[in-house]
């Protein structure tokens, strides 16, 4: 059975779950074990460079581009409508057909809504159980299609998903505190290029790249965001690109659940191991000799303006979706929001938060009254020790006093 929500109900659901208003496919509630739910081949918000031919989603016609990973390729993303099951499930089985001509690839990923927060994307093998980080009744699938600069176009069709609790119980635990790693940061640059989620890079841009699509946010979204800090400054930025070096190195996950390089410790990028220790013969997943230990790429505005870096440097990166805790979303039309060392617009700037990025919230305090996208307020949020943002520019709830 498939239903389409009214605009009012869909908008309310989107506010509650931090997702855009979408049609939901609902599994029949009468079945003890629901049958597979067919997911319509209708790319939703956040999709890029895909087209529909009957029940197939096919790579679109955009030319090859090169993002942080510095490998020229044609790529497309199709986000499908979320699926609500009649009861929470600990795993799902996705079924689908693929066509991958001329060395192309097609992948289906799944994520779940847990504690009002989307988990990261996990590849869903056709016909096999995919364990969810935690039992959930709301899941979403997406399609990733990638091809060389020349050749045929990959496709995915006949997508369905079914809840199942018959799966290996090992999975990705949602931690109380998000993981932080000490990693080497490089500057992405590439102004005018296109990122893995379809964003066209502008001068002094605000986003980061991580070497795995599991934590890739939709263009314009910050539901996968990082906090990047030096000794004196911090930036909160959305993850809009894939790289550096690798595309399947989700090093922030436990070793057993990493997509590749499962013998490396959690928190250590493959490029760092290759550069420092000769791991994998000193090469990345594409066979290139790794020339630096980079585990994160920073857009120019993050590198130069938010963190005031002049050279590649070691930073502390926190992957916000890997844990729980107070959150808010930067609500500005473009650019960035200044982070200050006091609850006042006269406080010194000690960092920046990019458009749509999530920020951690430790507590709230009163300070200078500010008017912004969320109205006029004298409430300021502490997002890091000694660092504050005006709540007038943050979509967030109420927090304990500092």
């Amino acid at each position: 059975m498939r239903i389409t929500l009214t605009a009012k109900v869909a908008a309310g659901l989107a506010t509650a779950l931090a997702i855009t208003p979408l049609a939901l496919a609902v599994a029949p509630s009468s079945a003890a074990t629901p049958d597979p739910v067919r997911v319509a081949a209708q790319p939703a918000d956040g999709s890029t460079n895909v087209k529909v031919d009957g029940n197939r989603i096919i790579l679109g016609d955009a030319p090859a581009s090169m993002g942080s990973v510095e490998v020229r390729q044609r790529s497309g993303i199709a986000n499908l409508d979320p699926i609500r099951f009649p009861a929470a499930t600990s795993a799902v089985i996705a079924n689908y057909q693929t066509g991958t001509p001329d060395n192309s690839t097609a992948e289906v990923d799944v994520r779940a809504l847990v504690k009002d927060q989307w988990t990261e994307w996990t590849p869903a093998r056709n016909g096999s159980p995919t364990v969810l980080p935690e039992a959930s009744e709301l899941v979403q699938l997406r399609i990733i299609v990638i091809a060389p600069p020349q050749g045929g176009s990959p496709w995915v069709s006949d997508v369905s998903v079914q809840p199942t609790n018959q799966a290996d119980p090992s999975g990705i635990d949602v931690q109380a505190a998000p993981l932080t790693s000490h990693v080497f940061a490089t500057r992405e640059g590439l102004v005018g290029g296109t990122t893995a989620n379809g964003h066209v890079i502008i001068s002094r841009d605000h986003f980061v790249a991580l070497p795995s699509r599991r934590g890739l946010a939709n263009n314009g979204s910050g539901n996968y965001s990082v906090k990047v800090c030096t000794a004196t400054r911090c930036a909160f930025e959305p993850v809009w690109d894939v790289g550096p070096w690798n595309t399947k190195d989700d090093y922030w996950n436990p070793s057993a659940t990493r997509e590749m390089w499962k013998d490396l410790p959690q928190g250590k990028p493959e490029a760092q191991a290759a550069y420092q220790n000769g791991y994998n013969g000193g090469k990345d997943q594409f066979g290139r000799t790794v020339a630096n230990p980079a585990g994160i790429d920073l857009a120019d505005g993050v590198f130069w303006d938010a963190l005031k870096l002049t050279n590649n440097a070691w930073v502390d990166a926190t992957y916000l979706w890997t844990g729980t805790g107070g959150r808010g979303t930067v609500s500005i039309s473009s650019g960035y929001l200044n982070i200050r060392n006091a609850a006042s617009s006269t406080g010194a700037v000690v960092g920046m938060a990019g458009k749509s990025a999530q920020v951690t919230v430790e507590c709230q305090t009163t300070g200078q009254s500010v008017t912004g996208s969320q109205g006029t307020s004298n409430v300021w949020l502490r997002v890091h020790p000694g660092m504050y943002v005006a709540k007038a520019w943050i979509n967030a709830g109420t927090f304990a006093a500092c």
Side-chain angles (χ1 to χ4, degrees):
M1 176 174 66
R2 179 179 174 79
I3 62 171
T4 300
L5 301 180
T6 65
K8 182 176 180 181
V9 174
L13 180 65
T15 300
L17 302 182
I19 58 176
T20 52
L22 299 173
L24 298 184
V26 183
S29 59
S30 60
T33 301
D35 294 329
V37 181
R38 177 64 63 88
V39 188
Q42 297 174 352
D45 290 349
S47 301
T48 179
N49 193 32
V50 290
K51 55 187 179 181
V52 176
D53 178 14
N55 66 346
R56 297 196 306 170
I57 292 180
I58 310 173
L59 178 63
D61 300 323
S65 61
M66 182 178 69
S68 176
V69 77
E70 297 186 355
V71 173
R72 292 191 63 81
Q73 59 187 13
R74 296 176 291 139
S75 64
I77 299 174
N79 297 310
L80 304 182
D81 288 347
I83 302 295
R84 184 179 293 282
F85 297 120
T89 182
S90 61
V92 297
I93 297 176
N95 291 284
Y96 50 89
Q97 302 294 321
T98 64
T100 53
D102 302 326
N103 296 313
S104 63
T105 62
E107 177 181 295
V108 175
D109 300 334
V110 62
R111 67 177 181 176
L113 193 77
V114 175
K115 299 173 184 174
D116 296 330
Q117 179 176 312
W118 285 110
T119 64
E120 69 180 21
W121 294 101
T122 300
R125 288 190 300 164
N126 185 30
S128 297
T130 300
V131 178
L132 302 176
E134 192 169 321
S136 175
E137 62 181 24
L138 190 67
V139 302
Q140 185 178 21
L141 301 180
R142 75 172 179 185
I143 292 168
I144 302 282
V145 280
I146 300 175
Q150 303 296 328
S153 296
W155 54 266
V156 175
S157 70
D158 301 314
V159 181
S160 65
V161 64
Q162 180 180 20
T164 178
N165 292 310
Q166 298 177 357
D168 182 347
S170 63
I172 304 170
D173 292 332
V174 177
Q175 305 164 50
L179 179 74
T180 297
S181 299
H182 193 61
V183 294
F184 194 67
T186 49
R187 183 178 67 85
E188 177 162 347
L190 301 175
V191 173
T194 303
T195 68
N197 73 356
H199 171 71
V200 177
I201 302 171
I202 63 174
S203 178
R204 318 298 276 224
D205 216 335
H206 277 260
F207 68 89
V208 305
L210 292 176
S212 168
R213 285 183 170 81
R214 288 187 170 186
L216 179 66
N218 293 339
N219 189 4
S221 167
N223 54 354
Y224 300 103
S225 295
V226 297
K227 177 173 71 170
V228 186
C229 296
T230 65
T232 58
R233 301 179 68 87
C234 285
F236 292 86
E237 306 291 347
V239 183
W240 284 355
D241 206 358
V242 176
W245 297 111
N246 295 299
T247 63
K248 295 185 177 182
D249 184 25
D250 50 323
Y251 61 82
W252 47 88
N253 279 327
S255 300
T257 57
R258 282 174 79 149
E259 190 169 5
M260 292 183 69
W261 327 118
K262 295 179 181 293
D263 54 343
L264 290 176
Q266 183 180 17
K268 188 167 190 176
E270 189 276 342
Q272 181 181 336
Y275 182 81
Q276 293 178 333
N277 311 117
Y279 179 83
N280 194 41
K283 300 182 184 300
D284 67 5
Q285 76 180 72
F286 301 102
R288 301 176 298 180
T289 298
V290 175
N292 61 52
I296 188 170
D297 256 354
L298 310 178
D300 289 351
V302 185
F303 192 94
W304 286 327
D305 303 326
L307 299 180
K308 298 296 184 183
L309 297 177
T310 56
N311 293 297
N312 298 335
W314 293 92
V315 298
D316 291 319
T318 303
Y319 316 94
L320 300 185
W321 66 93
T322 65
T324 58
R327 295 282 193 277
T329 301
V330 178
S331 180
I332 54 179
S333 59
S334 62
Y336 59 87
L337 178 67
N338 283 324
I339 300 173
R340 299 185 180 274
N341 70 350
S344 169
S345 58
T346 61
V349 175
V350 290
M352 296 174 179
K355 174 182 178 292
S356 300
Q358 286 192 352
V359 296
T360 53
V361 180
E362 298 179 343
C363 57
Q364 69 179 45
T365 188
T366 55
Q368 180 185 8
S369 183
V370 173
T371 299
S373 62
Q374 305 302 298
T376 299
S377 174
N378 65 352
V379 174
W380 287 69
L381 306 176
R382 194 175 78 194
V383 296
H384 187 79
M387 298 186 183
Y388 301 84
V389 294
K391 191 178 180 184
W393 294 103
I394 303 292
N395 184 356
T398 302
F399 301 91
C402 296

